[in-house]
Amino acid sequence: MIDLRSDTVTQPSQAMRRAMAEATVGDDGFGEDPTVRLLEAESAAAMGKEAALFFPSGTMANQAALHLHGRPGYEVMCEAQSHIVVHEMGAMAALNGMQPLPISSRGGRLDPQVLKQVLSARGDYQPPVALLAVENTHNMAGGRVSGLEELAALLELAEEFGLPTHLDGARIFNAACALDLPVSRVAEGFDSVMFCLTKGLGAPVGSMLCGGRSFIKRARRVRKMFGGGGHQIGVLAAAGLVALRDGPARLAEDHRLARRLADGLTNLPGIDLDPSAVVTNIVIFEVQSGEGTTPASDSKDAPASQFCDRLETIGVRAVPLSSRQVRMVTHRDLSSQDIDQAVSGMRSMHS
């Protein structure tokens, strides 16, 4: 199978497997795992923050950040299709007693003027806003990157209204690669940053929450409360170290493969795709109803689901995002030949 469902499907590299087998470990519950401590130190340095904490997942790390920045009964201002809204199982409410204040945008791009209007119009009978959360790259916007000028405007707005800021940087290294900047510049100014060691960096498990020393000290308690504490987890952190040290250098290849995929899909019948919108490793396109199909009465009957089912028969995997949208993601385990084979297979579906 040519698996384009996500950049989380990668297999651990041989270097990661060796590092895991040979890792020096201790009890992280007592703060004594040296491999975890090293990963946390290198992660904090990469983001330009004082400290970092290893989490089992990005969702848990995001929710721990929201828990620390906010309080029950408050709202989280964020883009309407943010990961914390649509892909974290309602954890904002279930774990933290908060709700999103979703702001619709074009292509995941938050407009500071719109945010200012919303914040300025808040009344006494509306929940107070606890923080501003930004996602970069933006998954549901096709891996769109927020540049430094855009981020600076959002940070300035948050400061004006006294809001702490959290950056969901699950794929922040992809953003840094696309901008040709050190990743610390992309994280600069945010009170907390989460990034994934999985996804483009290729580790089998783990995400990092970075911020000030006091913030991270409190985050350890929240991680334990959420069930994310561990003991000899240096075996996992060892793979994360390999991912952090080696992964960023090859993300440009993932981006190149995504553009190759987008160019190949552009002229296929029944597919609506703007290749210029593909700037990192995510390709999202719309599919039209096939001949003889009717409007979907169930998600499995939607054109996107039918398209993905047909892809399986030619050895390609993708994810339906909505009734018409399909997502494909390039990653370390793919080659140019894989991309060309996938495009060729999809072309044969229409022949």
Side-chain angles (χ1 to χ4, degrees):
M1 279 285 180
I2 299 171
D3 200 337
L4 292 159
R5 290 175 298 174
S6 177
D7 45 9
T8 63
V9 303
T10 55
Q11 293 291 304
S13 67
Q14 288 303 312
M16 290 178 188
R17 293 175 188 271
R18 285 194 302 272
M20 294 171 76
E22 299 169 2
T24 302
V25 300
D27 193 323
D28 187 59
F30 293 107
E32 296 174 353
D33 191 304
T35 307
V36 175
R37 297 289 82 79
L38 182 59
L39 172 61
E40 290 172 343
E42 292 193 15
S43 295
M47 294 297 134
K49 305 301 180 186
E50 292 180 341
L53 186 65
F54 179 86
F55 276 79
S57 73
T59 292
M60 185 182 286
N62 273 338
Q63 292 303 319
L66 300 191
H67 185 93
L68 291 167
H69 289 310
R71 56 188 293 188
Y74 279 55
E75 290 188 326
V76 178
M77 176 171 267
C78 53
E79 204 280 327
Q81 293 297 305
S82 295
H83 193 279
I84 59 173
V85 178
V86 300
H87 287 135
E88 298 193 5
M89 309 297 290
M92 190 186 302
L95 299 180
N96 296 318
M98 294 189 286
Q99 65 186 28
L101 175 56
I103 306 298
S104 297
S105 71
R106 172 174 291 185
R109 190 183 299 273
L110 285 170
D111 185 337
Q113 291 306 312
V114 172
L115 301 188
K116 185 170 186 175
Q117 291 171 6
V118 172
L119 290 167
S120 299
R122 303 295 284 178
D124 293 339
Y125 292 97
Q126 294 172 301
V129 178
L131 74 149
L132 172 64
V134 178
E135 184 177 338
N136 193 23
T137 68
H138 195 296
N139 179 12
M140 294 293 286
R144 194 193 70 81
V145 175
S146 296
L148 295 189
E149 184 175 342
E150 180 181 348
L151 294 173
L154 293 173
L155 290 167
E156 182 179 350
L157 174 86
E159 183 177 10
E160 178 182 348
F161 284 88
L163 300 178
T165 53
H166 174 65
L167 178 60
D168 178 353
R171 295 181 174 90
I172 191 174
F173 283 93
N174 291 91
C177 176
L179 295 169
D180 195 23
L181 290 170
V183 71
S184 60
R185 292 290 308 282
V186 186
E188 189 174 359
F190 285 89
D191 295 299
S192 59
V193 180
M194 184 281 292
F195 72 88
C196 289
L197 296 161
T198 55
K199 299 193 169 71
L201 301 187
V205 64
S207 292
M208 307 303 298
L209 181 62
C210 307
R213 286 190 181 88
S214 175
F215 177 87
I216 293 301
K217 182 177 180 180
R218 291 183 293 131
R220 286 187 66 88
R221 177 183 175 277
V222 177
R223 184 184 67 175
K224 177 70 172 178
M225 180 174 65
F226 285 177
H231 298 286
Q232 289 74 28
I233 56 175
V235 292
L236 303 177
L241 273 168
V242 175
L244 181 63
R245 292 169 177 174
D246 298 346
R250 64 156 319 283
L251 291 178
E253 174 64 9
D254 292 349
H255 296 182
R256 186 189 69 81
L257 291 179
R259 289 189 292 272
R260 188 184 187 98
L261 175 63
D263 289 341
L265 294 175
T266 298
N267 296 320
L268 291 185
I271 289 179
D272 185 8
L273 169 65
D274 176 9
S276 67
V278 178
V279 294
T280 55
N281 68 325
I282 299 176
V283 179
I284 294 178
F285 55 90
E286 288 196 1
V287 295
Q288 306 302 317
S289 298
E291 184 178 351
T293 63
T294 58
S297 59
D298 188 83
S299 61
K300 68 179 183 298
D301 298 320
S305 292
Q306 292 178 348
F307 183 85
C308 290
D309 287 344
R310 291 184 65 195
L311 286 180
E312 288 270 350
T313 67
I314 63 167
V316 178
R317 285 179 172 162
V319 170
L321 290 184
S322 66
S323 63
R324 292 190 178 277
Q325 283 189 317
V326 172
R327 186 188 75 168
M328 294 181 170
V329 185
T330 54
H331 52 77
R332 186 188 65 202
D333 288 357
L334 296 172
S335 65
S336 295
Q337 291 74 21
D338 291 324
I339 298 302
D340 293 344
Q341 183 178 336
V343 171
S344 177
M346 283 182 272
R347 186 174 292 114
S348 69
M349 286 167 49
H350 295 283
S351 61

